[in-house]
Amino acid sequence: MIGKLRGVVDSFGEDFVILDVSGVGYIAHCSARTLQRMPKVGEAAELSIETYVREDMIRLYGFRSDAEREWFRLLQTVQGVGSRVALAILSVLEPDALATAIATGDKGSISRAPGVGPRLAARLAAELKDKAPAFAPVDPALIALTGAVEEGAAPRPVADAISALVNLGYPQVQAAAAIAAALKGAEEGAEAKVLIRLGLRELAR
């Protein structure tokens, strides 16, 4: 089994890179995000590898980090998610962003990936929610705040502040994260306009 490859970039395909390792060219299928961040042809590169061995083929999947590879594995534990869909999700969300989206139930961000509809996004969020924080540092305050907003239990100023940031064009999870951070520096019972101002300050960092 191959777990890592270190060599020179030989060429790129639509969804793969060929890595020359001591004269042997290995085809590694990658997410679009990984391919975009690969060095240029002729330059040194290293990939974490997931090897699939079947009766009719051997296929390598390449990742820029071990965290991305772990998410590739974890995503496929959910029914309806194969290697292609897992790579599509990792093409639109970095590991940390994916962990946050799943932990906070941000189905909109997850469903941006081709082949991921609302039902599958909801299933991913539900089945992996408890595992997501272990794969990336997700703020517990953000998870609690997002849950409160969804259940309609968040204080009115907080819900209004998040809604205002969403109306300004920020994604729900990003708006919630900004307000969660703002709450840590705001006085208890702060009005929505105060939270909005502090939230915008967080987003500008």
Side-chain angles (χ1 to χ4, degrees):
M1 301 293 284
I2 298 173
K4 180 176 288 187
L5 287 175
R6 183 184 294 117
V8 175
V9 177
D10 179 86
S11 58
F12 291 95
E14 184 177 349
D15 65 347
F16 64 86
V17 60
I18 297 180
L19 204 60
D20 185 325
V21 182
S22 300
V24 178
Y26 291 88
I27 298 175
H29 296 267
C30 307
S31 69
R33 189 177 294 276
T34 289
L35 290 174
Q36 290 166 2
R37 295 184 177 182
M38 287 291 291
K40 298 177 181 178
V41 172
E43 295 183 353
E46 181 177 292
L47 288 172
S48 292
I49 298 293
E50 181 76 358
T51 306
Y52 279 17
V53 180
R54 297 177 181 173
E55 291 184 3
D56 57 343
M57 72 168 190
I58 297 176
R59 176 167 288 195
L60 306 181
Y61 295 92
F63 308 93
R64 291 281 285 165
S65 67
D66 289 340
E68 187 184 22
R69 182 177 62 185
E70 290 305 314
W71 269 112
F72 178 73
R73 294 170 176 169
L74 185 62
L75 287 167
Q76 292 179 82
T77 64
V78 176
Q79 183 180 356
V81 179
S83 58
R84 181 174 297 180
V85 171
L87 284 182
I89 294 171
L90 291 168
S91 292
V92 299
L93 290 169
E94 294 182 355
D96 283 1
L98 177 57
T100 299
I102 288 176
T104 59
D106 182 10
K107 299 180 284 292
S109 291
I110 301 170
S111 62
R112 285 166 44 208
V116 180
R119 286 188 179 181
L120 182 53
R123 191 185 308 145
L124 282 161
E127 293 188 20
L128 301 181
K129 184 173 184 178
D130 293 337
K131 300 177 182 179
F135 283 77
V138 182
D139 188 352
L142 173 59
I143 298 175
L145 176 59
T146 304
V149 170
E150 288 186 353
E151 295 169 5
R156 185 60 180 271
V158 173
D160 287 349
I162 293 175
S163 178
L165 294 183
V166 170
N167 289 336
L168 289 174
Y170 293 101
Q172 175 81 19
V173 67
Q174 192 175 0
I179 298 304
L183 285 168
K184 296 176 181 179
E187 295 182 2
E188 187 174 351
E191 295 182 1
K193 61 182 181 181
V194 174
L195 295 177
I196 293 169
R197 185 174 69 251
L198 293 175
L200 288 171
R201 190 179 299 169
E202 291 292 332
L203 291 166
R205 290 184 177 181

